[in-house]
Amino acid sequence: MNAAHEQHHEFVPDPPSRDEAATARLTWEASVDQLVMPGLYVLHRQDDRHEVAEVLPLLKQVQEAVMPQGRRSGPAGALGSRPPASLGALSLLGEIGAEVDRTCCGHGHDARGLPERVRAWVAHAEPWQHHDPEYVLWAAELSQGWVRAARALLDPAPRYPLRGRACPTCGTATVQAWSEDAEDWVRRPALSVDPEQAQVVCADCGRCWPLDAWVQLGELMDAQLSHETWTG
């Protein structure tokens, strides 16, 4: 059997069924709703009353994290405005904008803001369910990933500080970090444990170590310090 004949008989996946395309369309629309529609949060009062508060859409929250408006109340010429969010937020916004613009190019949309462009993007869900079901499945998976990424950026897993330790690479023991509670810059340990990644991270130089490697390194540093103190 020659190569051309083998290539002709390569496995080609079946196109999505009507039910799969319909389910993917609903998933796509629901994910976009989470990105661009306001959310509701139930407040439980001490007198057993319940109040419903409206929260900003996920996409708006990520945008505000990237371009913060709050100013610190400190002496003139101090560190200035609140720092921008991590590059992860900028990367997420850029990824969303690039995919939406690429897919909707040539469709005559006049939406300018990112939330409006995302709404215009999902408006194609119904016709594409029938004419391009493969993309509908792709868009459903993609938009679900954006929702997960936005939630992780806005409510990241806590890190646990390692006090009294300096980074073995850059020698930094403390860094200035923005505190949402104090609305000001505060001193915090440079090293912290990231439980999700099971590693120790330096906030100054970005170096990280697996927890088991860090334990061995810590024991080595303690032994060296004890030796220097004893011989000194």
Side-chain angles (χ1 to χ4, degrees):
M1 183 179 294
N2 57 39
H5 191 64
E6 289 181 355
Q7 185 175 4
H8 180 73
H9 285 84
E10 285 182 356
F11 174 75
V12 177
D14 294 329
S17 67
R18 295 177 60 182
D19 288 344
E20 288 174 332
T23 300
R25 171 196 164 187
L26 293 176
T27 301
W28 181 11
E29 293 173 338
S31 298
V32 167
D33 281 348
Q34 293 180 68
L35 289 170
V36 303
M37 296 294 291
L40 298 178
Y41 181 78
V42 179
L43 302 174
H44 301 277
R45 300 296 186 184
Q46 292 182 350
D47 57 2
D48 292 332
R49 291 187 301 112
H50 302 290
E51 295 181 11
V52 178
E54 187 175 276
V55 297
L56 291 174
L58 281 177
L59 201 54
K60 184 66 174 177
Q61 292 183 57
V62 174
Q63 287 179 313
E64 290 203 348
V66 172
M67 297 179 291
Q69 301 299 320
R71 295 278 176 176
R72 68 171 302 213
S73 56
L79 290 171
S81 62
R82 173 184 167 186
S86 67
L87 292 178
L90 289 170
S91 176
L92 177 61
L93 294 173
E95 178 185 339
I96 295 173
E99 175 62 22
V100 168
D101 292 345
R102 181 190 68 81
T103 309
C104 296
C105 180
H107 287 276
H109 299 312
D110 58 359
R112 296 185 179 181
L114 184 57
E116 291 75 22
R117 284 150 55 201
V118 173
R119 289 191 185 96
W121 175 60
V122 80
H124 296 287
E126 183 175 3
W128 288 354
Q129 173 188 340
H130 306 288
H131 304 302
D132 193 358
E134 288 86 357
Y135 183 81
V136 173
L137 266 68
W138 163 253
E141 182 179 350
L142 193 63
S143 56
Q144 281 183 303
W146 291 343
V147 170
R148 289 192 297 268
R151 294 195 187 282
L153 285 168
L154 297 169
D155 189 19
R159 291 186 176 183
Y160 303 98
L162 287 176
R163 303 184 185 279
R165 289 285 191 179
C167 174
T169 301
C170 65
T172 303
T174 61
V175 293
Q176 285 191 320
W178 182 262
S179 170
E180 293 288 351
D181 296 330
E183 294 188 352
D184 203 348
W185 295 84
V186 296
R187 279 281 178 187
R188 288 180 177 166
L191 296 173
S192 61
V193 177
D194 182 348
E196 283 200 338
Q197 301 297 325
Q199 62 186 11
V200 172
V201 183
C202 176
D204 188 53
C205 68
R207 182 69 185 275
C208 57
W209 302 265
L211 282 180
D212 55 350
W214 174 258
V215 170
Q216 296 174 12
L217 181 60
E219 291 174 349
L220 179 63
M221 293 168 63
D222 287 341
Q224 182 179 354
L225 179 60
S226 298
H227 176 74
E228 292 175 352
T229 303
W230 177 259
T231 57

